[in-house]
Amino acid sequence: MPHLTVCNRQLNWTLMLVLGYLFYLLLGAMVFQLLEKQAEAKTRGQFQTEKLKFLQNYTCLDRQALEQFVQVIMEAWEKGVNPEGNSTNPSNWDFSNSFFFAGTVITTIGYGNLAPSTVAGQVFCVFYALFGVPLNLAFLNQLGKGLSAHLINLERWVHKPGRARV
């Protein structure tokens, strides 16, 4: 009976950790989306306006105008806006991309293809990682313990006396 209590406590801890981990990822995704999507839409709109002005006003291109336009393109690109196409390009900060970014932050993978551009998003990212990385380590530790326990049980079953060998 004491073994059953330990197993139940272990299962409860694991379940709470998994639920807490998922909740933390979902919360991070929502906050990143809230903080970054509006700034991205503003940048996208500014870029589209500049692109239209460029196409309307510059039929004969001079060096200064070209350099100015290239600067606008580079600023949009640095903020995650793809200069190709039009304003209907999908957002970099929809929920799925925000969730993916939140996961890369707390797992310390950091692909680098998406990063907050607002100060609020950057500050939140630091504190999100500050608490998320230890949570991720606890989650992976618990996952490792669970896998180890199951592999030990599998090994015992495979090497069980009297079991027919192939």
Side-chain angles (χ1 to χ4, degrees):
M1 197 61 148
H3 179 68
L4 185 61
T5 305
V6 170
C7 285
N8 281 341
R9 202 173 305 151
Q10 184 75 13
L11 184 64
N12 287 341
W13 167 245
T14 302
L15 183 61
M16 286 187 55
L17 187 60
V18 168
L19 291 175
Y21 188 77
L22 287 174
F23 175 75
Y24 194 75
L25 282 172
L26 291 170
L27 178 68
M30 288 188 304
V31 172
F32 282 121
Q33 183 182 16
L34 180 72
L35 293 174
E36 295 298 320
K37 193 170 185 175
Q38 186 177 12
E40 180 195 31
K42 182 180 176 186
T43 302
R44 188 182 305 267
Q46 287 172 339
F47 176 72
Q48 291 301 320
T49 301
E50 288 296 320
K51 192 174 174 182
L52 287 173
K53 278 190 217 175
F54 180 80
L55 293 173
Q56 290 171 354
N57 295 331
Y58 299 108
T59 55
C60 293
L61 196 59
D62 65 357
R63 186 178 183 98
Q64 184 180 5
L66 180 61
E67 291 299 323
Q68 206 172 19
F69 188 62
V70 168
Q71 184 63 35
V72 170
I73 290 172
M74 293 304 296
E75 286 175 10
W77 182 262
E78 287 171 0
K79 293 181 180 179
V81 175
N82 185 353
E84 294 179 334
N86 55 30
S87 62
T88 61
N89 289 342
S91 173
N92 290 324
W93 289 101
D94 58 7
F95 187 77
S96 61
N97 285 335
S98 298
F99 186 83
F100 176 77
F101 178 75
T104 62
V105 169
I106 67 172
T107 58
T108 68
I109 293 171
Y111 283 116
N113 57 348
L114 188 61
S117 62
T118 63
V119 173
Q122 293 167 354
V123 169
F124 176 74
C125 187
V126 169
F127 287 102
Y128 184 74
L130 189 65
F131 293 103
V133 171
L135 174 64
N136 187 57
L137 292 175
F139 174 75
L140 292 175
N141 183 35
Q142 195 65 27
L143 182 67
K145 286 178 183 178
L147 288 173
S148 177
H150 287 297
L151 288 174
I152 289 170
N153 287 337
L154 179 63
E155 181 184 30
R156 287 182 187 149
W157 179 78
V158 168
H159 296 296
K160 191 175 188 179
R163 191 173 167 288
R165 306 244 180 221
V166 178

